[in-house]
Amino acid sequence: MKEEQIDWIRLQKALSIEAEKGFTNLQGNQYRFSEFMCLSFGQSPPFGTSLEARRKWLDLAIKFSRYPELITTQRQELVRETRQFLQELKQTLENPPEPPQPKIPKTIPVTETANNTRPLTLDQSLKSLTAVGERKGQDLVERLGLKTVKDILFYFPRDHIDYSRQVYIKNLEAGETVTLVGTVKRCNCFTSPKNTKLTIFEIVLSDPTGQIKLNRFYAGTRYNNKGWQERQKRFYPPGATIAASGLVKKSKYGVTLDNPEIEILDSSGSQIESIKIGRVLPVYPLTEGIAADLIRKTVVEALTAINQIKDPLPNDLKNIYGLISLKEAIANIHYPDNSNLLAHARRRLVFDEFFFLQLGFLQRRHKLQQNQTSASFNPRGQLIEQFNKIIPFSLTNAQKRVIQDILKDLSSSTSMNRLVQGDVGSGKTIVAVYAILAALQSGYQAALMAPTEVLAEQHYRKLVTWFNLLHLPIELLTGSTRVAKRREIHAQLDTGELPLLIGTHALIQDPVNFRKLGLVVIDEQHRFGVQQRARLLSKGESPHVLSMTATPIPRTLALTLHGDLDVSQIDELPPGRQPIQTVALTGQQRTQAYDLIRREIAQGRQAYIIFPMIEESEKLDLRAAVEEHQRLSEVIFPDFQVGLLHGRMSSAEKETALNAFRDNQTQIIVSTTVIEVGVDVPNATVMLIENAERFGLSQLHQLRGRVGRGSHQSHCLLMSSSKTTDARQRLSVLEQSQDGFFISEMDMRFRGPGQVLGTRQSGLPDFALASLVEDQEVLTLARDAAEKIMLQDPTLKYSPSLKRELDDRYQRMLGSDILN
């Protein structure tokens, strides 16, 4: 949410009215007070918001998701806290402080050896560095892929520990990272009397406010040597001044520093020379056999070559977006003088990661738009006119808008590449039908590919009714299609007799040849790999592509995955749909859930009961579908027919189970997540999800979408045995909201983008620093910057430094699949 998009007055007015009405969670025209606040704070905070304020912004979104559960005094305090926060944030944004001037730290010690007499170069081997050598250099190459000075400079820390704050002993607080400077009272080093393999090093340190005991522990019999222990004691004689940095811990023995770093000083006012003590310490991603100190010392030595780094970003772009130079950023991401410089360094490097990703996406889209296609469709034709007359319902305004976007693309001489996002039940299939009819009435064939047989069969079942009325042949091709039928389909495709084929991965097999493929529709496209999608497209000559997903994803995630696509959203549900009443239950409330199912079935309705597993696991105490099906049918619901559906059943068994449920021959169906998409039974009004805490919010929302598809009030019951605060917070989001885009945003904040997508091969690039949760504002700015560059110089002909960096990054970091 950009600053100008925030309606400060509306937010403050909502808070004021809620307070005036006694904190009753007022119902507005569209949302309740808590829903409105939750949605407002669920969007990105305004540009310029500090890291601390961004975290507070997210915290308020979570707090308002629990607002209905709070007592009046707690609601009052939350409203007061929010009003004060918004007032302070608005003042800060209107009068921003001057940012500190970043500089390259000059206090990093660099070892002066013969190797330093000649300046290092960026392409110089790490093996030539004093801190590395041949053997360690080989380890860095083999274990971390670090070969050159440039490689180590761009090997960024995954975290930082701030030891830069020096405090007195009396002011220590548990959980803080600090540095102490004081005098050694006594020092001892000895083998533990209880464990001969453990050596304990102990120092008592004092300063003007008190004293503290510090311990370090050494595991292994080699430290039992008396000579070694005596040498440690002589290093830190009584009266010596030392600096110690570490995490403050409190136990029954008092306050101490956990495994502290210690350095002898000349005096209490002496400068600390260590690369660890008294500064912001970088923490690097490591692997077995690579010590943290090796990386730190190598970085320190490599930083002498930092002036050779060329900044690819133009100065005017850096000025517009408030970015420091690249060499300043690299110096301060490794060894910042303070936390402010670290924040500036990280922001610049995160911007670069997002900017070049978006620039690559936009360049790819530009190139695709230059490709001419022979498949230019007529958006106004007889088939579409006939279809408008036979559909028994009215389209929503959102559907009409998206259809117009698609038909405009299809009438162009360049290939369409559009993604349609729509919440559960928003009517994406009917939108795809208009695209298919535009292809067919223009003399082309179309293909619709779905990731599962259940979903492909659902599409076929829905479309065949309409296409029969239009006298258009349509076929279904899956792994279960019989050989004879398969051959018949292949022949009809080859001659052009079959205009539309719906199927699964079977569509991309070699015998499937279209005579004139003009349109490819890919449903739940994120479940297909890049190569699978490409194989289907190769069966035509630059066909138009329409991708669809019923899994709403946050805008930042969409930009990162689909930055090269045109995106349309169906953000409106068909009229008559009632909100699904969602409630989280504990095991003690199971009887209430079963009673609700009985009441609904008594009224002629049906129910789903969903389990996360097929069979019992010894490691996870989860109720499993196969075992529970027998208990539910024989003990709990003996008067009803209870069906079973899971992924290990054959296609014929699945179809039999689904048909029985569709025809109300079974009133309850026990299932795994195989019914997450593609099952449409309007008569089903209850969904009970066992072990709901094991699912992500987006997946729960998808499952919930199997009910509420008719005109009757529907219910979703989230059964959870977890007592953790995190699990309760997550499930409360489902209780409060029906908005799939908001739910997916909250899911990403709780679990991260990879988990939201549900698979590691989701296509997300590996970022060194950037976070799609924490850095949404920077991603938005980077996309804006990339769009401006493309408007001015779409081929980067006049921006050679940007072109070189873009090419280098996609070869070195992001991989070929990103732009395939």
Side-chain angles (χ1 to χ4, degrees):
M1 184 189 293
K2 293 182 180 179
E3 184 177 347
E4 59 268 18
Q5 295 174 313
I6 294 181
D7 193 337
W8 300 94
I9 296 176
R10 191 178 177 202
L11 276 171
Q12 288 286 14
K13 186 176 181 181
L15 290 160
S16 178
I17 294 175
E18 175 70 5
E20 290 173 4
K21 299 299 182 181
F23 309 97
T24 57
N25 199 16
L26 286 170
Q27 174 67 55
N29 292 334
Q30 189 173 5
Y31 300 110
R32 283 197 173 276
F33 167 74
S34 60
E35 292 173 333
F36 171 71
M37 299 305 295
C38 203
L39 287 167
S40 298
F41 286 109
Q43 299 183 62
S44 299
F47 171 65
T49 304
S50 68
L51 178 60
E52 182 181 354
R54 289 206 305 271
R55 288 173 177 159
K56 177 71 173 179
W57 186 277
L58 169 60
D59 183 53
L60 287 173
I62 296 171
K63 285 183 176 180
F64 276 107
S65 72
R66 303 196 301 272
Y67 189 82
E69 305 167 13
L70 303 181
I71 63 176
T72 302
T73 54
Q74 291 172 322
R75 292 182 178 186
Q76 182 178 4
E77 174 57 26
L78 178 55
V79 169
R80 184 203 62 76
E81 172 190 348
T82 306
R83 294 175 77 173
Q84 181 178 345
F85 169 71
L86 286 175
Q87 183 66 27
E88 293 173 353
L89 178 60
K90 188 169 184 289
Q91 290 177 354
T92 301
L93 293 174
E94 290 174 349
N95 304 286
E98 286 294 322
Q101 291 300 312
K103 58 184 177 61
I104 302 173
K106 299 181 175 60
T107 56
I108 301 171
V110 179
T111 306
E112 293 292 341
T113 67
N115 284 357
N116 294 116
T117 55
R118 289 193 305 181
L120 294 181
T121 60
L122 293 176
D123 59 356
Q124 189 168 328
S125 170
L126 292 178
K127 295 178 183 179
S128 66
L129 270 60
T130 306
V132 184
E134 187 69 30
R135 184 181 60 79
K136 292 178 181 177
Q138 192 60 34
D139 287 343
L140 290 174
V141 171
E142 293 175 356
R143 298 176 188 269
L144 294 177
L146 302 175
K147 301 177 183 178
T148 67
V149 169
K150 184 177 180 181
D151 290 341
I152 198 74
L153 289 177
F154 282 85
Y155 190 67
F156 302 138
R158 61 174 172 80
D159 201 358
H160 291 80
I161 303 173
D162 190 355
Y163 291 150
S164 62
R165 194 167 71 90
Q166 185 177 325
V167 300
Y168 284 120
I169 291 171
K170 75 170 186 178
N171 296 328
L172 291 176
E173 291 189 18
E176 295 183 338
T177 53
V178 299
T179 293
L180 301 173
V181 175
T183 304
V184 176
K185 296 287 287 183
R186 66 175 181 271
C187 176
N188 200 5
C189 189
F190 57 93
T191 301
S192 170
K194 295 181 180 179
N195 183 355
T196 57
K197 294 182 180 180
L198 181 66
T199 295
I200 301 172
F201 173 76
E202 180 182 283
I203 277 186
V204 175
L205 177 71
S206 71
D207 71 9
T209 67
Q211 65 180 34
I212 188 173
K213 183 188 291 185
L214 307 176
N215 291 315
R216 288 182 64 94
F217 300 94
Y218 299 89
T221 54
R222 65 182 182 276
Y223 298 110
N224 289 354
N225 183 282
K226 287 290 184 183
W228 184 87
Q229 293 178 358
E230 287 298 321
R231 282 197 300 275
Q232 301 310 304
K233 291 161 63 175
R234 288 198 297 271
F235 286 153
Y236 305 97
T241 300
I242 66 170
S245 296
L247 173 68
V248 182
K249 294 187 70 175
K250 189 174 184 179
S251 68
K252 60 182 179 180
Y253 301 109
V255 176
T256 188
L257 299 186
D258 184 40
N259 197 29
E261 301 289 348
I262 302 172
E263 178 185 337
I264 289 279
L265 302 179
D266 292 336
S267 66
S268 58
S270 297
Q271 180 174 326
I272 300 174
E273 299 293 342
S274 170
I275 63 171
K276 297 181 185 178
I277 297 171
R279 61 186 313 119
V280 180
L281 181 69
V283 180
Y284 294 92
L286 301 174
T287 189
E288 185 179 356
I290 301 293
D293 277 357
L294 172 61
I295 299 294
R296 292 186 185 121
K297 291 176 181 177
T298 306
V299 167
V300 167
E301 193 169 344
L303 282 170
T304 60
I306 199 166
N307 286 326
Q308 298 174 37
I309 290 177
K310 292 181 172 59
D311 196 331
L313 297 189
N315 288 332
D316 57 347
L317 188 146
K318 286 183 289 188
N319 292 334
I320 290 172
Y321 295 100
L323 304 171
I324 64 175
S325 73
L326 182 57
K327 60 184 178 184
E328 288 173 325
I330 290 175
N332 286 292
I333 199 66
H334 289 294
Y335 284 99
D337 279 353
N338 54 58
S339 56
N340 279 339
L341 289 178
L342 173 60
H344 279 280
R346 187 182 180 281
R347 185 174 183 273
R348 163 62 203 264
L349 297 171
V350 167
F351 181 94
D352 281 13
E353 288 189 289
F354 284 145
F355 172 76
F356 286 105
L357 176 68
Q358 295 304 315
L359 193 60
F361 277 141
L362 292 173
Q363 274 227 305
R364 179 179 185 274
R365 186 166 72 174
H366 176 75
K367 290 175 183 175
L368 288 173
Q369 289 172 345
Q370 306 308 305
N371 292 340
Q372 299 295 307
T373 177
S374 57
S376 180
F377 301 161
N378 178 12
R380 299 178 183 83
Q382 187 177 3
L383 286 180
I384 289 181
E385 290 177 4
Q386 290 177 349
F387 186 63
N388 284 331
K389 295 176 182 177
I390 65 172
I391 55 173
F393 51 83
S394 299
L395 298 174
T396 65
N397 289 330
Q399 287 173 317
K400 292 176 182 177
R401 184 184 69 248
V402 173
I403 289 170
Q404 288 305 311
D405 290 342
I406 292 170
L407 294 180
K408 182 179 179 181
D409 288 347
L410 294 177
S411 62
S412 171
S413 59
T414 59
S415 297
M416 176 178 72
N417 198 12
R418 182 172 292 276
L419 171 69
V420 173
Q421 284 195 104
D423 214 337
V424 177
S426 61
K428 294 176 296 301
T429 305
I430 193 76
V431 168
V433 169
Y434 277 89
I436 291 169
L437 293 177
L440 271 52
Q441 70 187 11
S442 302
Y444 290 90
Q445 293 168 294
L448 193 163
M449 185 166 69
T452 66
E453 291 194 9
V454 169
L455 185 52
E457 289 162 359
Q458 178 72 39
H459 281 311
Y460 176 76
R461 185 182 300 274
K462 187 176 289 185
L463 267 63
V464 74
T465 305
W466 295 331
F467 275 57
N468 283 343
L469 294 174
L470 295 171
H471 308 292
L472 292 171
I474 175 176
E475 292 289 357
L476 175 68
L477 181 64
T478 69
S480 303
T481 305
R482 296 181 182 275
V483 174
K485 183 64 175 177
R486 191 181 292 264
R487 288 173 180 162
E488 180 185 335
I489 291 172
H490 292 165
Q492 291 177 349
L493 280 178
D494 211 18
T495 61
E497 297 173 66
L498 181 61
L500 173 62
L501 180 61
I502 297 174
T504 57
H505 301 75
L507 297 188
I508 65 176
Q509 302 306 314
D510 289 336
V512 178
N513 293 306
F514 292 82
R515 184 174 182 272
K516 197 176 181 184
L517 180 63
L519 173 69
V520 170
V521 181
I522 304 175
D523 198 11
E524 293 299 316
Q525 58 88 37
H526 63 279
R527 298 194 179 195
F528 293 99
V530 171
Q531 294 181 352
Q532 290 172 323
R533 297 196 296 266
R535 284 191 65 182
L536 182 56
L537 299 185
S538 69
K539 295 183 180 294
E541 294 184 8
S542 299
H544 296 284
V545 181
L546 177 65
S547 302
M548 301 191 299
T549 178
T551 308
I553 59 176
R555 180 175 179 273
T556 52
L557 196 50
L559 276 178
T560 309
L561 284 172
H562 313 306
D564 56 333
L565 303 181
D566 295 307
V567 180
S568 295
Q569 290 187 0
I570 305 178
D571 50 8
E572 182 182 359
L573 291 177
R577 292 281 178 91
Q578 296 188 48
I580 301 166
Q581 291 186 358
T582 304
V583 60
L585 302 174
T586 63
Q588 290 76 21
Q589 298 170 299
R590 187 176 300 280
T591 303
Q592 299 175 27
Y594 291 159
D595 287 344
L596 175 61
I597 291 174
R598 291 190 185 95
R599 288 197 302 272
E600 288 294 306
I601 293 176
Q603 297 178 42
R605 313 287 173 243
Q606 293 166 272
Y608 298 95
I609 300 180
I610 308 300
F611 291 88
M613 300 185 68
I614 296 174
E615 298 168 351
E616 286 286 3
S617 165
E618 295 178 1
K619 294 182 179 180
L620 296 175
D621 182 21
L622 305 180
R623 293 172 175 268
V626 174
E627 284 76 6
E628 282 297 295
H629 171 255
Q630 184 175 359
R631 187 183 73 87
L632 289 166
S633 56
E634 295 177 359
V635 180
I636 307 300
F637 301 112
D639 299 332
F640 306 133
Q641 294 297 313
V642 183
L644 176 65
L645 179 68
H646 60 73
R648 293 187 186 174
M649 296 167 66
S650 68
S651 297
E653 291 171 330
K654 289 178 188 174
E655 187 63 22
T656 299
L658 280 172
N659 284 337
F661 190 61
R662 288 190 187 103
D663 298 337
N664 206 359
Q665 295 173 12
T666 55
Q667 290 77 51
I668 301 171
I669 190 163
V670 176
S671 177
T672 59
T673 55
V674 70
I675 59 93
E676 183 180 346
V677 292
V679 178
D680 188 4
V681 182
N683 194 49
T685 57
V686 182
M687 172 166 286
L688 170 61
I689 303 176
E690 296 281 357
N691 301 106
E693 75 279 2
R694 301 282 180 180
F695 297 88
L697 294 182
S698 294
Q699 190 175 28
L700 288 172
H701 181 61
Q702 288 288 315
L703 290 167
R704 176 171 63 177
R706 298 309 102 201
V707 296
R709 305 180 78 83
S711 58
H712 306 290
Q713 178 63 62
S714 292
H715 309 266
C716 181
L717 310 176
L718 307 173
M719 190 68 67
S720 172
S721 57
S722 175
K723 297 180 181 179
T724 65
T725 303
D726 179 67
R728 181 65 197 135
Q729 287 178 350
R730 290 175 58 245
L731 295 183
S732 71
V733 173
L734 270 294
E735 291 180 298
Q736 298 301 314
S737 179
Q738 308 273 329
D739 184 335
F741 290 96
F742 170 68
I743 289 167
S744 67
E745 177 75 35
M746 297 303 292
D747 200 13
M748 186 173 76
R749 292 174 184 270
F750 277 118
R751 299 192 302 149
Q755 288 293 315
V756 169
L757 295 170
T759 171
R760 283 191 59 81
Q761 49 100 30
S762 58
L764 273 175
D766 291 325
F767 294 119
L769 291 173
S771 163
L772 293 179
V773 177
E774 295 290 337
D775 301 312
Q776 296 187 20
E777 171 230 330
V778 182
L779 173 55
T780 302
L781 294 178
R783 176 72 174 195
D784 180 69
E787 288 174 342
K788 287 178 179 176
I789 292 291
M790 288 298 292
L791 281 174
Q792 298 168 2
D793 186 12
T795 63
L796 302 183
K797 178 180 178 181
Y798 304 105
S799 310
S801 61
L802 289 179
K803 182 72 167 63
R804 282 193 300 271
E805 183 69 14
L806 179 64
D807 292 342
D808 182 55
R809 280 179 179 261
Y810 276 99
Q811 291 173 6
R812 179 167 50 92
M813 294 174 60
L814 300 178
S816 58
D817 278 358
I818 297 294
L819 290 183
N820 262 350

